[in-house]
Amino acid sequence: MSDYERIRLVILGGQGVGKSCIINRFLFNKYCNKYRSTVEDLYNKEYDLGHMTLKVDLLDTAGDMQFPAMRRLYIATAHAFLLVYSVTSAPSFSSIKQCFEEIRENRTDYQDIPIVVAGNKLDLTASHKEITIEDVTEWVYCELPKLRVKILECSAKDDINIKEIFRNLLSLSKLIPKNDTTDVSTGLKRRSSAYVSATSKGKRRAESPLPEKEKPSGSGTGMSEGNHLAKPRSRSLIRRASRKTKQQIRDAQVDECNVS
């Protein structure tokens, strides 16, 4: 396995099921019961697994179908999916069925993609529950073909099974063992898409202080003995050398005139 690997986790589900609440509980150990519509929120996490560094992008998506082109792009570029429904809402369970159909239509390798199906709002089941774990199990294992999938119920409010969601995703991705004790909630950073783009450009500029045309070539005169990059000549030195060359040319022209 390589020393560095990056995967993208895409969270899908209907409106108001608690996708953002799950993310916020996992990242910041916070919960807010005020609903805010999400268009796109991108988070980044790094795991030091000893033998490799794993970078995980978590993409929190909109719960409606207003942006079909964006949804197709999310699905096409994902390495794993988290499908979230509310255990108190039968329509939300229908929504994740529709999400899965989108995955099946857009990904020929859908049977190999890690998927976790999570039923949120477990804290409300004492008074109201419309979808049981048996309902979800019957759909996944009886109606669908063989998948790399895990089913569980959770509560973002009471912090029930939140870490297990992401541990199972990494386990299904075969990036950590099933019984691994890595703390999956550490090292996370929130980044918007614009921030990621800007910082990546800044990093490239920091790593490459010279413009492309001024970078020394591996086979050109910019290499000294031992394949070490030669230090760039200062502009003042170049200007002095240029003035000296021009003076030599003028002196040579004067000498030629004197001889003739």
Side-chain angles (χ1 to χ4, degrees), residues 48-115:
D48 183 3
L49 301 181
H51 62 289
M52 64 174 291
T53 298
L54 174 64
K55 296 189 176 182
V56 183
D57 294 326
L58 299 97
L59 185 61
D60 185 11
T61 65
D64 52 36
M65 305 295 177
Q66 294 183 14
F67 309 100
M70 290 176 65
R71 289 178 69 84
R72 287 193 295 270
L73 180 62
Y74 299 155
I75 292 171
T77 58
H79 300 98
F81 292 100
L82 170 59
L83 305 183
V84 183
Y85 68 96
S86 170
V87 295
T88 63
S89 170
S92 71
F93 184 49
S94 299
S95 292
I96 66 162
K97 289 183 177 181
Q98 184 177 352
C99 291
F100 178 79
E101 288 304 317
E102 291 182 80
I103 296 171
R104 180 152 54 181
E105 290 172 4
N106 289 278
R107 296 290 294 268
T108 57
D109 60 343
Y110 68 92
Q111 289 179 299
D112 299 321
I113 302 175
I115 300 174

Side-chain angles (χ1 to χ4, degrees), residues 13-14 24 30 40 54 65-66 70 72 75 93 102 124 149 151-152 155 167 174 181 184 193 197 209 226 246 249:
N24 282 310
K30 293 181 180 179
E40 175 187 322
L54 174 64
M65 305 295 177
Q66 294 183 14
M70 290 176 65
R72 287 193 295 270
I75 292 171
F93 184 49
E102 291 182 80
L124 299 178
V149 63
I151 304 167
L152 53 81
S155 170
R167 189 181 300 278
K174 299 181 180 179
T181 58
V184 296
S193 296
S197 177
K246 290 179 181 179
I249 293 172

Side-chain angles (χ1 to χ4, degrees), residues 27 43 93 99-100 106 126 131 176 192 213:
L27 300 186
Y43 305 86
F93 184 49
C99 291
F100 178 79
N106 289 278
I131 301 297
I176 64 171
S192 68
K213 62 182 181 180

